[in-house]
Amino acid sequence: MDVVGSRFARRESRLRVRDFMAGLLAPLPTKNCWTIAEHAGDDGPGGMQDLIGRAVWDDAQVRADVRDFVAVKLGHPDGVLLIDETGDLKKGVHTVGVQRQYSGTAGKIENCQLAVHLSYASPAGHTLVDVALYLPKSWTEDPARRAEAGVPEAIGFATKPQLARRLIDTAVAGGLPCRWVAGDEVYGGDPHLAAALRGHDLGYVLAVACSHRVPTGLGIQRADQIAADLPTRAWQRISAGQGAKGHRYYDWAFVTLPLAADQHGGHHWLLIRRNRTGELAFYRCWSPHLVPLHHLVAVAGRRWSIEESFQATKTGLGLDQHQHRRWRAWHRWTTLVIAAHAF
């Protein structure tokens, strides 16, 4: 409460959010306003529902406080910003942002919400710090549906990379110390996001598809074509960091891409990972300064920490257990889960 208490003007709201956070952190089998109210000793869920739906407070300001808290506790000059989306399965059509769409969580097309999350990782630890709900065109182009869910008029359609860029811009403007950004193919395939990161002087290791094309001295080539032509001596066995069963060793190679340079200067690479079965993964990389291969590998390995955060917040903090259909309530619930995870 020393971190976020000032965002709640009324004493009653400060007490409510204290009890709400305690409920999120408690080992309750289910996290919702009913179980959290019961844990707090309330007669019913009305007070917790009021905190989430009607009380006066700004979720964006609370997330800013959480970001500042993370900067103090985990901040490091080589910090890594991690971007990824996660899906929450839903029934019906009224929950804000819901539609049939591909969910990486489910591994198939399902009726779900999707949200882009920003996580921060450093040698001191990692945690989620910010979030943006993905609003499909079926929602942004339906005024009646928007009004029913309380979607602000200023909210228009934005792709997942565009949402990620906004989250990163906010983190950088807020002073979160970072040097790198990592993300999967959804983000690595967007050249506008990569250019924006170079504009921030942020290095990146972004996954791309095997069909991704890059400029070389032999012309424009696919990533998998470049990998096939690499000699044996180009590969090095390097750990991508500690996993549940010890170091995660893969074979790695990287190819410099001087023809990819633009007004931002710096150094471009195609990074390639090969596992024991021979399966390949590809990354577009950039840094304002020369860095060795093992440094790029370490950044690539950091990306998996956001998956650990998703697992922790969904299995222990109720990230996906909310029952709130409206825009403001969804953001408030998610913000308090992010705060609980950071604390």
Side-chain angles (χ1 to χ4, degrees):
M1 292 308 298
D2 290 340
V3 175
V4 302
S6 64
R7 301 302 184 184
F8 301 87
R10 298 180 59 201
R11 179 178 181 274
E12 180 183 16
S13 295
R14 290 195 294 273
L15 295 176
R16 286 288 182 203
V17 75
R18 179 201 65 185
D19 291 343
F20 191 95
M21 297 287 286
L24 288 176
L25 293 165
L28 304 177
T30 302
K31 305 292 174 69
N32 56 48
C33 286
W34 285 86
T35 59
I36 292 173
E38 183 179 33
H39 180 267
D42 295 348
D43 293 334
M48 298 303 176
Q49 291 172 343
D50 183 73
L51 175 70
I52 295 298
R54 294 176 293 275
V56 178
W57 58 282
D58 188 327
D59 56 89
Q61 291 179 344
V62 172
R63 291 196 300 276
D65 289 338
V66 172
R67 182 194 63 228
D68 293 344
F69 171 83
V70 170
V72 171
K73 296 294 184 179
L74 304 182
H76 190 278
D78 286 333
V80 182
L81 298 177
L82 308 163
I83 48 177
D84 200 0
E85 74 275 359
T86 186
D88 295 338
L89 302 183
K90 296 295 176 184
K91 297 179 180 179
V93 298
H94 298 291
T95 301
V96 62
V98 72
Q99 73 167 16
R100 287 190 60 79
Q101 53 195 327
Y102 180 78
S103 167
T105 306
K108 58 183 178 179
I109 294 176
E110 288 281 5
N111 196 61
C112 64
Q113 286 174 312
L114 293 177
V116 177
H117 285 262
L118 181 71
S119 179
Y120 182 76
S122 78
H126 63 86
T127 184
L128 300 177
V129 292
D130 209 348
V131 66
L133 180 64
Y134 173 70
L135 205 61
K137 287 185 177 180
S138 63
W139 276 83
T140 58
E141 297 173 355
D142 189 335
R145 202 179 190 192
R146 291 169 59 104
E148 182 182 3
V151 179
E153 292 184 4
I155 300 299
F157 176 74
T159 66
K160 299 179 188 73
Q162 287 171 337
L163 295 176
R165 178 177 174 179
R166 294 175 190 174
L167 296 176
I168 293 168
D169 288 348
T170 299
V172 172
L176 190 60
C178 52
R179 184 181 174 191
W180 295 94
V181 174
D184 65 16
E185 290 182 19
V186 172
Y187 309 97
D190 188 287
H192 302 292
L193 175 60
L197 297 179
R198 294 194 295 274
H200 282 307
D201 221 25
L202 283 173
Y204 55 78
V205 178
L206 299 172
V208 293
C210 63
S211 58
H212 183 80
R213 302 169 72 86
V214 298
T216 73
L218 300 177
I220 303 297
Q221 291 186 296
R222 284 172 53 116
D224 53 2
Q225 178 185 357
I226 293 173
D229 293 338
L230 289 177
T232 302
R233 66 179 181 276
W235 297 92
Q236 299 182 47
R237 178 66 58 88
I238 303 174
S239 170
Q242 284 277 3
K245 299 180 180 179
H247 281 279
R248 293 173 288 141
Y249 283 101
Y250 300 96
D251 293 327
W252 298 86
F254 70 158
V255 178
T256 57
L257 302 173
L259 297 180
D262 60 7
Q263 71 271 23
H264 300 293
H267 305 271
H268 293 258
W269 299 274
L270 176 68
L271 176 67
I272 308 169
R273 186 192 74 198
R274 184 177 65 194
N275 65 16
R276 293 181 179 179
T277 66
E279 183 180 3
L280 301 177
F282 304 90
Y283 306 83
R284 278 298 298 267
C285 308
W286 179 85
S287 171
H289 309 290
L290 275 173
V291 294
L293 171 60
H294 71 83
H295 203 141
L296 299 178
V297 170
V299 176
R302 281 284 189 185
R303 188 167 70 87
W304 301 109
S305 67
I306 195 170
E307 299 293 343
E308 295 177 358
S309 292
F310 287 154
Q311 181 178 8
T313 51
K314 289 190 174 187
T315 60
L317 297 173
L319 179 65
D320 58 348
Q321 294 179 18
H322 61 86
Q323 300 171 350
H324 305 287
R325 293 179 173 179
R326 295 176 63 81
W327 176 270
R328 181 167 64 177
W330 182 91
H331 281 85
R332 288 180 168 188
W333 178 280
T334 306
T335 292
L336 294 179
V337 170
I338 288 174
H341 182 51
F343 297 153

